[in-house]
Amino acid sequence: MKKVTLWMSCLSIIALIGILLAGCTNSNSPANSETTEPSTTAPATNTTDEPAAPADSAETPGAPVEGGTLTISTFSDIVSINPLYINDTSSGDIETLIFAKLYDLDRNANLAVEPWSLGAELPKISEDGKTYTVKLKTTAKWSDGQPITADDIVYTYDTLRNPEAASPGISMYDKIESVTKIDDQTVDIKLKQVYAPFQFSLFISILPAHILKDVPLKDLKTNPYGVDPAKTVTSGPWKWTEWKQGQYITLEANPDYWGEKKPHIAKIIYKIYADQNTEVQALIKGDVQMTQAVPVTQIDAVKEHDNLSIILEPGPTYEYVSFNFKDENFPDNYSPFKGQKTRQAIAYAINRQGMVDNVLKGSGGLMNSPFLPGSWADPGDEAVNYTYDAEKAKSLLAEDGWAAGKDGILEKDGHRFSFELQYNAGNSRREQVAAVIQQNLKDVGIEVKPKGIDFATWIDQNVTPGKFPAVLLSWSLSNPDPDAESIFSSKYFPPAGQNSGWYKNEKLDELWVKGQLTVDQAERTSIYHEIGKEISTDLPYVFLYQYGLPQGVDSTTVHWDEEDRPESSLAYGYLFHAINWWSDKK
């Protein structure tokens, strides 16, 4: 999967104006099937491999059918669907369907009031740009029948911005000075400073104060809320009714749903498979109707079936290798990645274009910074482009003090250059990419030990707390703004943030804040170009490529009208307007 991040970029990317960072992250967040989900609490989400949103289903026969079932496959289980802690794609998928957002995003990544949004109207912004007035619909209620009120908004924002709650998305909310209830439906959110990306902090799921207000903040993450369906009160068109870990997740239409538009689909089932190849076989056999990430090697096999459609478009997702700078995360208590020349050497040693050509079969594009190509924040040629050059890599490693040991592996200060590269098990693309990295780095004297780990376990125990030597993962950008402070600023080390590699660069720390304080678009663009140049030089990550996930759909049983088609440019866009879809399958 991927992690999920909260910045725009996750959108039909090139057409979008910003990037969405997380994850795989939303936190920017790591992705799951591979891809991402927009996290409400983080700038990005980590993904395992998620689907690029389907552009069309085959035909749209007749009027919507009421009461069908939609069965979706995944090869990664959820971690928690508490919006406060979502940092992976699978959890984000479920959260998207069972929670109502305060505001939603339209197809162009603009803040929008939809029939299923909690907000009654777009927020009113004060003249100084520091106070946002939010008004709720009077009809909104929780799945237990209690009304959704200003108290819930106050509780949610006050909790998110409190470091004691340890939310990975805190960077989007710690600029808040106060959250004040005006009446039962109205809240004023006052910022400490102008914060240009704040409007997207309103694209958020709200928490039930009447359920959680008495839970100590330090205990929220381990509370049953978000992991026990019976104890998780929600607000969306579907309710979470069952979770058989490692097997399936079931959602059922909420019979008491408050929205003026009701869901057509009565039941949504997420089936969890061992790997992507097994998922494809389930799609072909008709055991599922939608698969989020078809391996490129199996696209032709899927296309042989007349009832199946493949949707493959660029998404708000990019893959990367993250270095860990904390010595304690290595067996010999020594991080080999602290030298800038060493990191640059690794980037030169990795054949990124070969990955795009041979692993992605040309369906991706190189990335040189955390900003999606074609977005307004993309620095283009100002960023360093690391072409495949093993000899240059060897030269830089020598300059940084590395010399070959008796077995040919580089050594420095008594430490062998050997490290474990973690990725999520079952992800066929990452297995191939990890093998390429292993061979490429062996060619320059670095020993890499690829290790596949169950995604949910890995995110919870390694990625989120920052306990790994190096990871191969992706961010799914859920926020239409390119602010990635939560991922790359030293203010946001775990647990309250997504800088899980423990990276510190004081210049970047200052630039992220400068970008947030700047409202003029031209000035902001210049700042993010400077960030892109700096981060591509200093390299906390090796940025690999932007990609889309081939999504497989049974277009004879899953239907949507044109205005409700999936939107690949948005994080979780493959579920865009799913409340209006219908299924012929019972």
Side-chain angles (χ1 to χ4, degrees), residues 368-369 371-375 377-385 529 532-533 536:
N368 293 318
S369 79
F371 307 133
L372 294 178
S375 68
D378 174 24
D381 292 341
E382 295 178 55
V384 181
N385 178 34
H529 285 191
K533 181 178 179 180
S536 70

Side-chain angles (χ1 to χ4, degrees), residues 170-171 174-175 485-486 489-494 496-499:
I170 189 173
S171 69
D174 60 1
K175 283 78 175 173
E485 183 186 33
S486 182
S489 171
S490 61
K491 290 165 57 179
Y492 298 106
F493 291 142
Q498 296 177 299
N499 185 354

Side-chain angles (χ1 to χ4, degrees), residues 238-439:
W238 291 277
K239 296 171 64 173
W240 185 25
T241 55
E242 189 176 8
W243 179 20
K244 188 72 170 177
Q245 292 190 12
Q247 297 183 42
Y248 61 86
I249 296 158
T250 302
L251 314 178
E252 296 183 9
N254 179 3
D256 300 316
Y257 176 57
W258 56 271
E260 56 191 81
K261 283 195 172 183
K262 313 297 181 185
H264 300 301
I265 296 172
K267 181 182 290 187
I268 299 177
I269 301 171
Y270 272 78
K271 287 189 177 181
I272 303 164
Y273 291 88
D275 54 47
Q276 290 170 303
N277 293 327
T278 310
E279 285 187 85
V280 171
Q281 292 308 306
L283 179 68
I284 290 173
K285 286 167 34 180
D287 292 341
V288 302
Q289 299 158 271
M290 184 180 291
T291 296
Q292 300 181 31
V294 176
V296 291
T297 55
Q298 297 216 40
I299 289 178
D300 289 342
V302 172
K303 286 181 175 179
E304 289 177 1
H305 299 267
D306 293 340
N307 65 312
L308 302 180
S309 300
I310 288 286
I311 300 122
L312 177 56
E313 297 181 12
T317 306
Y318 71 84
E319 199 119 81
Y320 61 88
V321 173
S322 173
F323 304 119
N324 202 307
F325 296 88
K326 196 171 186 178
D327 290 333
E328 301 93 288
N329 290 307
F330 295 82
D332 56 354
N333 291 310
Y334 176 84
S335 170
F337 303 122
K338 292 182 179 178
Q340 185 187 84
K341 289 184 178 180
T342 293
R343 300 191 296 275
Q344 292 174 341
I346 291 173
Y348 279 116
I350 295 175
N351 188 354
R352 300 184 302 148
Q353 188 61 53
M355 294 173 181
V356 171
D357 295 341
N358 301 314
V359 178
L360 300 183
K361 305 300 181 186
S363 63
L366 294 183
M367 291 276 294
N368 293 318
S369 79
F371 307 133
L372 294 178
S375 68
W376 61 264
D378 174 24
D381 292 341
E382 295 178 55
V384 181
N385 178 34
Y386 294 89
T387 55
Y388 179 45
D389 190 335
E391 294 307 312
K392 187 165 187 174
K394 291 177 184 178
S395 176
L396 286 168
L397 288 165
E399 289 177 28
D400 216 16
W402 294 97
K406 293 180 180 179
D407 61 356
I409 300 302
L410 298 176
E411 294 182 354
K412 180 179 179 180
D413 300 329
H415 300 277
R416 292 177 80 248
F417 205 153
S418 174
F419 66 91
E420 181 178 88
L421 178 63
Q422 300 178 358
Y423 62 94
N424 56 300
N427 185 314
S428 61
R429 183 188 69 256
R430 288 201 183 120
E431 290 173 356
Q432 296 176 70
V433 169
V436 172
I437 292 172
Q438 182 183 38
Q439 183 60 56

